[in-house]
Amino acid sequence: MILSIFLGLPLVYAIIIPRDHTSTFFHRHSLYHRSTLGSWTSYGCWTDNTGARTLSAASYTNTTGMTVESCISFCSSGANSYVYAGVEYAQECYCGNYLASDASNVSMSECDMTCTGNASELCGAGDRLNVYWSGTQPPAPPIIVPGVGNWKSLGCYNDSTTTRALANGMGVSGQVTVESCTAACQDAGYQYAGVEYADECYCGMTLDNGSGPTPASSCDMTCAGNSSEYCGGPDHLNLYNYTGTPTTTDNTGGGTGTELLITPSLSGGWTYGGCYVDNANGRVLGDELDSNDMTVESCVAHCTADNFTIAGLEYSTQCFCGNELVDGATKAPDSDCNMACGGNATEACGAGNRLSVYTSTGNITILPVPTPLTTGLPGQWVYQGCLAEPAPGSHLLPYENDWTNNNTVEACLNQCAAFGYPAAGLEYGEQCFCGDISDVVDNNGAFVSGSECNMPCSGDPTHLCGANNLMSAYYWNGTMNVWHTPENIGRYEFLIGGVVVPLIATVGINNKVTFLEKYPTSEFANSTGAYELDISLVDNYLLAWREMHVKSDVFCSGSIILPDKGARQINVGGWSLESTYGVRLYTPDGQPGVNGTNDWEENASELSLQRGRWYPTAMMMPNGSILVVGGETGSNGPPQPSLEILPKPPGGDTVITLDYLQRTDPNNLYPFLLVLPSGRFFIGYYNEARILDPVTFDTVTVLPNIPGAVNNFLAGRTYPMEGTAVLLPQHAPYTDPIEILICGGSTPGAAIALDNCVSIVPEASNPTWTLERMPSKRVMPCMVTLPDGTYMILNGAHQGVAGFGLASDPNFSALLYDPSQPVGQRISILNSTIIARLYHSEATLLPDGRVLVSGSDPETNYPNGTAVYPEEFRIEVYIPPYLNQGFRQPEFTIAETDWALGGQYNIIVTLYQGTTSTMRVSLIAASSSTHGNVMSGGRIIFPEFSCSGNTCTITAPPNAFVCPPGWHQLFVLDGPTPSHSAWVRIGGDPAQLGNWPDYPDFTTPGV
């Protein structure tokens, strides 16, 4: 199932970013847990529970400015002098002298949410606290106060938010303690007093609604005003009975003895809207602010500042904001809102589970009790029910989005579908999970009562989005991704043992393969850095390899094939110092079975780049000059965010700085460079792309950002989050716009490889990316253009990024991508190898239609120094399905191999299965492959041709925009089966590179 992804489509991009952009970036490589802060030290990651807090004394929430430092300051300043401080869910701070007995110390990796006030710090997670310890010993454990004066403890009693044991919530002087609560109840003339949930006080003349004693352990929360005392727990009261003579008989009010005022009007048009019941079905307003100095005016000011239209005051000290009342809020008598405001004893600030509500518009919208969304779902989604997570902190589905303010069922389902995931789950109101139905099965997912998924969605309070560790689950009803499993899948074969671990592989017009390695940083002191493999001699190891030589380190350089008569291979850049300026040339010679004598030529004092470059990309321009872009100044050095041209234009410094490469460093190395049929250039870097003017190199069009992971739009496609890119086929008469395909990549921080390919028609009137999911994740892939217009995807890893020791879990399988099939049905699963092909692995097309597979230099070691994945010398070939059917390959002869653009040239064909009426002809541009970057774009052209008998006339491409000047492998296809190729040059040598460079240390082949 594939959905097009538009730049402005909120269901793919906008919803990933909550209103507070700083609060939801997870697993960034720069994140850290503070280990020390003054005398405070990290005490680990601990479980928490909204029903019974691990730290139950003071607390506060800051949705935009929470940091570890601010929380510790809060927990250690003034009246708050606690032993422990804890940060949770990016924005919450808790204090206490004791950790709840049922709390558990868990892995620090479970505390993985960034602080809202410092994106480089971690502030716990859902139900996870980063706990810090002051270094001092906690005071004596809290106790159940046995009595205060004439008040005697009756023990711990059960309570309910909907049917209270004691009918009257009571405001107290200062924070809640047993003493302040019993004093308030005594002043109001009540018989019973109860403290609950650390900071709530209730009074009554009778014990109502069947409340009875429970174990003392149920009252385990310390008082907000005195951490040495217990003040009840969730839905439990520490109950006290007054045994003396009542001081007053007026026990019908809210405990103040004075009439409280409803503020009729306020500045800004705010007016009183009534007293409403809270918590009957859940909180009816969110965005809580607590203050002991609360007034109606301060609450309204707070809600106004955050652009809300409704303010609600509760329990003397609590302020809530929103734009509507949710969860089926109902009105209560105004007399129910009978608690005085903490900051103004003459104003009413709600009561226990009662809100004094004010509105700035004069209207109060009440939304119903939320229900599961089961109808009108997008696509083929079907609601399944409520799924229980396997354990706190672990999840059935692997990909998590946290949308604090805008999570909706529709948004979550569309996000999962856009990235090809047929299972979606919504949890904790604001979390959206995506994955496969098999993930639920493999993790033993179990459905529970639907009523347990009872939290409203953060962006749609009328519908439910799971609960704590519970998911509202939805499945796609049908097949979302079609991955073919053909009977004929081809096969890997061992070809020959290597002499080095190559990092650049190039097929020359002599039909031999040149390999360059990281000389002189090779593992072998006697390596010369360059070798040539004669494919025709692989049965004789000693004869198959020819030693060649380079003078400087080509480690992570770039190569292309020149359009001169010799089809020279040019290599630019390198690892460090002088080598980063290197320009090296080799003219292939010899023939299969016969050694050549030419070698690499290099002299930095005669010929060099204008800027040192490590990880650059090179591209042949339509005018015959060479474009070199990007890189760094040397090994892990500063960026080189610029472009230059070879041969160097006349004049002084002609380097052009590219601000977008400067901005996206270091995630844009080996950028993708491709010539478009308009003559303009496509450049893809990190997760961005644009179209450049071919003369000025100014930006003509900024394309939509390249989609990344379903849960991380910061995923990248170029080194080090390395994917691979090609041009899709061009067919005569070349009127269809060209399409670009990019596959694989990775995410920052956690380095989870991407499992998708994306494609775009960059010069369409409204260019959009189309996403297709692959059967498996893949970073550091290689993609090879095959003669039939399909593409083989192979090599790489399921996890990590490019670089030494930075990836694991090799991807052993090969895929075939067929752009002639419908979108979403283009991928077939082919065969697998037994060899891990990770960093510095390559794949390239051989003239006989096989794919050469080489290299792997991961340098991933166990602690004892032994290799997890060894440096790989073995050379393999993949036999694609078209060569695995037992058919004889067609043959042809050609006389003219130097073609002019638009010219016509004859070949004589011999076919063994079909006829010329079903024959095809393809041209594949000569290429050099390194780090998954095919520096010709993998260009394939299907030219016009006609046949008379077995003589066929091919019309060359019409211009250098469709076909930049250079050498191509010409194939004839008899049905599915390709011939061996012949090399043809198309478009000549317009920049006369064959006469360059004019220095004594270089041999020029002519134009």
Side-chain angles (χ1 to χ4, degrees):
M1 172 64 188
I2 309 303
L3 301 179
S4 290
I5 301 179
F6 296 84
L7 175 63
L9 185 64
L11 296 181
V12 174
Y13 286 101
I15 57 174
I16 296 176
I17 309 175
R19 180 165 55 198
D20 173 13
H21 289 205
T22 64
S23 64
T24 57
F25 292 119
F26 298 94
H27 306 291
R28 296 287 297 277
H29 68 277
S30 59
L31 301 185
Y32 64 96
H33 296 275
R34 295 297 297 262
S35 57
T36 61
L37 206 157
S39 62
W40 291 74
T41 57
S42 174
Y43 202 61
C45 180
W46 291 75
T47 58
D48 196 14
N49 189 317
T50 55
R53 289 293 181 189
T54 296
L55 295 175
S56 60
S59 65
Y60 81 102
T61 299
N62 189 331
T63 59
T64 60
M66 181 61 68
T67 66
V68 174
E69 294 86 346
S70 63
C71 180
I72 288 176
S73 176
F74 174 78
C75 293
S76 59
S77 302
N80 297 332
S81 183
Y82 295 100
V83 172
Y84 298 109
V87 280
E88 180 169 344
Y89 208 70
Q91 60 190 10
E92 300 168 3
C93 172
Y94 297 91
C95 313
N97 286 324
Y98 314 97
L99 299 174
S101 59
D102 59 349
S104 300
N105 189 208
V106 295
S107 168
M108 288 292 279
S109 64
E110 296 187 25
C111 287
D112 61 356
M113 292 183 70
T114 59
C115 304
T116 59
N118 185 345
S120 68
E121 290 183 341
L122 291 164
C123 280
D127 290 337
R128 292 295 183 272
L129 272 170
N130 276 118
V131 176
Y132 292 84
W133 177 43
S134 68
T136 60
Q137 294 302 314
I143 62 170
I144 294 177
V145 175
V148 179
N150 291 322
W151 291 88
K152 305 300 180 186
S153 171
L154 298 178
C156 185
Y157 277 64
N158 64 291
D159 194 14
S160 168
T161 57
T162 55
T163 53
R164 286 293 183 191
L166 298 176
N168 299 285
M170 182 63 62
V172 302
S173 177
Q175 292 186 313
V176 170
T177 64
V178 173
E179 291 78 5
S180 64
C181 181
T182 53
C185 293
Q186 181 173 340
D187 289 346
Y190 287 108
Q191 182 67 37
Y192 295 102
V195 283
E196 181 170 343
Y197 207 71
D199 63 354
E200 299 174 5
C201 173
Y202 296 92
C203 309
M205 294 302 295
T206 58
L207 197 59
D208 300 330
N209 296 307
S211 177
T214 61
S217 59
S218 298
C219 289
D220 61 354
M221 297 182 70
T222 58
C223 301
N226 186 344
S227 60
S228 69
E229 302 175 347
Y230 281 119
C231 276
D235 293 331
H236 285 83
L237 286 159
N238 278 114
L239 186 65
Y240 292 84
N241 177 38
Y242 186 67
T243 60
T245 303
T247 58
T248 176
T249 59
D250 179 12
N251 51 35
T252 60
T256 64
T258 58
E259 183 177 357
L260 302 178
L261 298 178
I262 294 170
T263 307
S265 62
L266 299 142
S267 62
W270 287 81
T271 56
Y272 178 66
C275 180
Y276 282 81
V277 177
D278 194 15
N279 264 327
N281 303 293
R283 285 287 188 195
V284 301
L285 277 175
D287 195 66
E288 180 177 354
L289 171 71
D290 295 337
S291 171
N292 290 330
D293 299 321
M294 186 63 64
T295 66
V296 173
E297 291 80 2
S298 65
C299 179
V300 165
H302 168 70
C303 295
T304 300
D306 284 347
N307 296 314
F308 291 111
T309 60
I310 294 178
L313 300 104
E314 184 167 341
Y315 205 74
S316 293
T317 59
Q318 298 172 334
C319 171
F320 299 88
C321 306
N323 292 315
E324 59 272 318
L325 301 183
V326 300
D327 272 331
T330 58
K331 261 195 167 184
D334 286 342
S335 59
D336 277 13
C337 290
N338 56 16
M339 292 183 69
C341 297
N344 185 342
T346 68
E347 292 182 333
C349 277
N353 292 318
R354 294 295 185 271
L355 277 168
S356 298
V357 175
Y358 291 81
T359 170
S360 65
T361 64
N363 298 315
I364 297 178
T365 300
I366 300 175
L367 300 180
V369 175
T371 58
L373 182 60
T374 59
T375 60
L377 299 172
Q380 296 169 230
W381 289 100
V382 176
Y383 176 66
Q384 302 297 311
C386 185
L387 263 176
E389 295 282 22
S394 61
H395 300 290
L396 294 168
L397 300 178
Y399 299 107
E400 176 181 350
N401 290 292
D402 287 80
W403 300 330
T404 345
N405 302 304
N406 52 6
N407 193 27
T408 68
V409 173
E410 297 92 336
C412 182
L413 301 185
N414 281 324
Q415 182 76 354
C416 295
F419 286 83
Y421 297 104
L426 299 103
E427 186 167 331
Y428 208 69
E430 55 193 46
Q431 296 172 329
C432 166
F433 291 90
C434 301
D436 292 300
I437 298 171
S438 59
D439 293 324
V440 177
V441 176
D442 293 344
N443 290 299
N444 300 313
F447 286 93
V448 297
S449 170
S451 62
E452 294 190 41
C453 285
N454 55 17
M455 292 185 70
C457 304
S458 64
D460 177 12
T462 66
H463 292 109
L464 293 170
C465 283
N468 187 27
N469 294 317
L470 295 165
M471 284 197 311
S472 299
Y474 295 81
Y475 292 168
W476 185 268
N477 183 26
T479 301
M480 181 172 279
N481 305 290
V482 177
W483 297 317
H484 303 288
T485 54
E487 186 174 332
N488 177 13
I489 58 176
R491 67 189 188 278
Y492 281 91
E493 286 185 353
F494 173 76
L495 184 67
I496 191 172
V499 291
V500 290
V501 180
L503 59 88
I504 301 177
T506 309
V507 177
I509 65 167
N510 59 358
N511 287 341
K512 301 179 182 183
V513 185
T514 58
F515 293 108
L516 296 175
E517 72 146 343
K518 51 182 183 178
Y519 170 87
T521 51
S522 170
E523 296 299 308
F524 305 100
N526 64 343
S527 171
T528 63
Y531 296 85
E532 187 172 63
L533 174 64
D534 189 333
I535 300 296
S536 71
L537 298 176
V538 293
D539 291 334
N540 189 327
Y541 182 86
L542 295 178
L543 295 180
W545 291 99
R546 179 168 79 95
E547 179 180 295
M548 301 175 70
H549 308 80
V550 289
K551 296 178 181 178
S552 60
D553 200 335
V554 299
F555 178 22
C556 299
S557 53
S559 293
I560 60 171
I561 313 301
L562 300 186
D564 58 30
K565 280 189 174 181
R568 283 182 298 172
Q569 300 171 16
I570 185 171
N571 177 267
V572 296
W575 179 56
S576 66
L577 303 176
E578 183 182 88
S579 68
T580 64
Y581 292 86
V583 178
R584 309 162 192 93
L585 291 158
Y586 163 61
T587 305
D589 65 335
Q591 58 187 357
V594 179
N595 270 349
T597 57
N598 292 343
D599 207 338
W600 286 93
E601 298 174 340
E602 176 182 5
N603 187 335
S605 64
E606 294 176 346
L607 179 64
S608 65
L609 296 172
Q610 296 180 66
R611 298 287 190 276
R613 298 180 186 275
W614 190 46
Y615 291 99
T617 298
M619 183 191 77
M620 180 56 58
M621 296 194 293
N623 67 2
S625 299
I626 305 160
L627 180 65
V628 183
V629 178
E632 293 181 338
T633 58
S635 177
N636 298 314
Q640 191 60 267
S642 62
L643 63 81
E644 61 180 282
I645 295 171
L646 286 173
K648 179 183 177 297
D653 191 326
T654 58
V655 171
I656 297 175
T657 299
L658 306 174
D659 65 310
Y660 46 88
L661 292 187
Q662 179 77 56
R663 172 173 50 79
T664 55
D665 175 75
N667 296 320
N668 57 33
L669 305 182
Y670 280 139
F672 304 133
L673 291 177
L674 305 166
V675 177
L676 302 175
S678 65
R680 293 168 173 166
F681 303 155
F682 170 94
I683 180 170
Y685 53 96
Y686 180 35
N687 62 358
E688 300 180 11
R690 59 185 64 210
I691 298 173
L692 306 180
D693 183 276
V695 177
T696 64
F697 303 104
D698 292 337
T699 297
V700 175
T701 304
V702 176
L703 295 169
N705 275 19
I706 304 170
V710 66
N711 64 336
N712 195 337
F713 66 96
L714 296 174
R717 304 285 182 167
T718 52
Y719 184 98
M721 292 178 277
E722 184 179 298
T724 183
V726 294
L727 289 161
L728 293 186
Q730 299 177 89
H731 297 265
Y734 314 108
T735 53
D736 292 335
I738 201 165
E739 195 168 359
I740 293 167
L741 176 70
I742 302 174
C743 293
S746 193
T747 60
I752 304 301
L754 302 183
D755 62 357
N756 61 62
C757 295
V758 292
S759 56
I760 193 170
V761 179
E763 295 189 296
S765 58
N766 182 28
T768 61
W769 292 97
T770 297
L771 187 144
E772 298 173 87
R773 189 175 168 205
M774 294 189 291
S776 56
K777 295 176 286 190
R778 200 180 295 261
V779 63
M780 298 179 293
C782 297
M783 187 149 50
V784 180
T785 305
L786 300 181
D788 62 353
T790 62
Y791 300 82
M792 183 169 287
I793 304 168
L794 65 171
N795 299 356
H798 294 98
Q799 186 278 332
V801 295
F804 292 129
L806 299 179
S808 61
D809 193 8
N811 194 325
F812 294 105
S813 70
L815 304 175
L816 191 71
Y817 184 92
D818 185 355
S820 68
Q821 297 301 309
V823 170
Q825 302 180 38
R826 293 178 169 180
I827 294 176
S828 295
I829 301 172
L830 299 186
N831 222 320
S832 297
T833 181
I834 61 171
I835 299 176
R837 300 285 185 184
L838 300 169
Y839 187 47
H840 287 171
S841 65
E842 304 305 333
T844 191
L845 178 69
L846 294 175
D848 60 11
R850 295 179 297 171
V851 174
L852 185 86
V853 186
S854 62
S856 186
D857 188 17
E859 299 192 13
T860 303
N861 296 327
Y862 291 109
N864 65 5
T866 60
V868 179
Y869 310 111
E871 291 191 304
E872 189 53 63
F873 292 83
R874 289 171 289 181
I875 308 292
E876 296 174 285
V877 288
Y878 197 99
I879 313 299
Y882 56 53
L883 294 179
N884 197 43
Q885 303 176 87
F887 295 157
R888 183 172 176 179
Q889 291 180 257
E891 299 168 6
F892 69 93
T893 60
I894 183 170
E896 294 181 83
T897 59
D898 200 354
W899 294 6
L901 292 166
Q904 294 188 324
Y905 303 92
N906 293 333
I907 60 173
I908 299 173
V909 302
T910 302
L911 306 179
Y912 298 101
Q913 279 80 48
T915 67
T916 56
S917 64
T918 58
M919 187 185 85
R920 290 183 293 165
V921 174
S922 63
L923 293 159
I924 297 180
S927 66
S928 184
S929 174
T930 185
H931 293 74
N933 192 326
V934 184
M935 293 191 189
S936 69
R939 186 182 298 270
I940 183 170
I941 296 170
F942 288 88
E944 179 186 352
F945 70 94
S946 61
C947 298
S948 176
N950 65 344
T951 299
C952 298
T953 301
I954 303 171
T955 301
N959 59 59
F961 301 156
V962 170
C963 178
W967 289 85
H968 295 72
Q969 293 189 69
L970 171 65
F971 289 93
V972 166
L973 292 113
D974 183 3
T977 309
S979 64
H980 288 228
S981 69
W983 289 96
V984 297
R985 183 172 72 152
I986 303 175
D989 184 4
Q992 298 190 354
L993 295 179
N995 296 328
W996 169 85
D998 187 14
Y999 292 112
D1001 290 315
F1002 294 88
T1003 304
T1004 55
V1007 298

